Amino acid sequence: MDVVTQPADTILSAFYALRAYLNEQILGQENLVERLLVALLADGHLLVEGPPGLAKTRAIKALAQGIEADFQRVQFTPDLLPSDLTGSDIYRPEQGSFHFQAGPLFHNLILVDEINRAPAKVQSALLEAMAEHQISVGAATYPLPRMFLVMATQNPIEHEGTYPLPEAQLDRFMLHTLVDYPDRATTLRIMELSRREARKETELTPPHIALTQAQVFAARHAVLEITLADSVAEYIAALVEATRIPKQYSPKLAEWLRWGASPRAAIAMERCARALAWLDGRDYVTPEDVQAIAPDVLRHRLLLNYTAQAHGVTTNECVLELLRQVPMP
């Protein structure tokens, strides 16, 4: 079915049903659910950082249940090889030739658990897949599925035995989302849901209106049609520029920032702001949409200098200072 002929109201209703379903399955993580949908709509990848046990795996598995897509989980470990992700050429004696055996990256939704536990070669193989939607094995190049979303997780607690992600790979993630522990009331609801699932009283079943991949592509097309006023576009460009020439905006930023955001950050902010507006049922982007998504777009793209690190300044504080100092239209 042609993407542009999909009924707009049907697609939006299906996304609302999907969001409601995800919020029922992942209690207390509404921000994570929204960012997952934004990444899906903006055709980007998501880096999620938070302590273990906060339903990160469950979230993307539930997303795969709610749309017409297959899911694959990859646990990154120090002994992982690039071929464990991409696949490899297998020799078949009966045919006297090599045959390519596809790896786990040839799925629609990929969960990369503890991405910083794998060595640089594995991270580079993932980088090519995320950036180019293809993988290379030997002299051959293989395209990945048209719908391809990587959700990677990082554990902020343990750093021993990890390999920090290089800036180039961090920049490939459209969003960097932080998740935290739920409150007491939500914890009680999670306990009740777990109890019901253990008794088989409820199951992880998709919503009544399951999204097809054609509807997802139609939604992406609709997101690109959202109106973005020139003043809002200028605001996005100013926010990104302020990370590169911080002394023109704030003495604090000039003291803290060593390296700013790339043009890819501006593209990500625009696409994600459009997606937020579309999910809110609007056909235009507001400056508030930009401010809402800016922390997740920028926090992994800013490099702090030694002065900021010595004083315990975080990139979150830099983004907040940025939003305070750059005039909003």
Side-chain angles (χ1 to χ4, degrees), residues 254-271:
E255 184 182 353
W256 293 342
L257 285 176
R258 178 165 61 96
W259 203 259
S262 71
R264 193 178 285 117
I267 296 170
M269 206 178 304
E270 177 196 343
R271 293 286 297 273

Side-chain angles (χ1 to χ4, degrees), residues 73-93:
R73 177 182 182 274
V74 183
Q75 178 66 52
F76 270 28
T77 57
D79 60 348
L80 201 68
L81 299 174
S83 59
D84 295 328
L85 287 182
T86 62
S88 58
D89 291 323
I90 306 297
Y91 183 71
R92 293 187 172 179

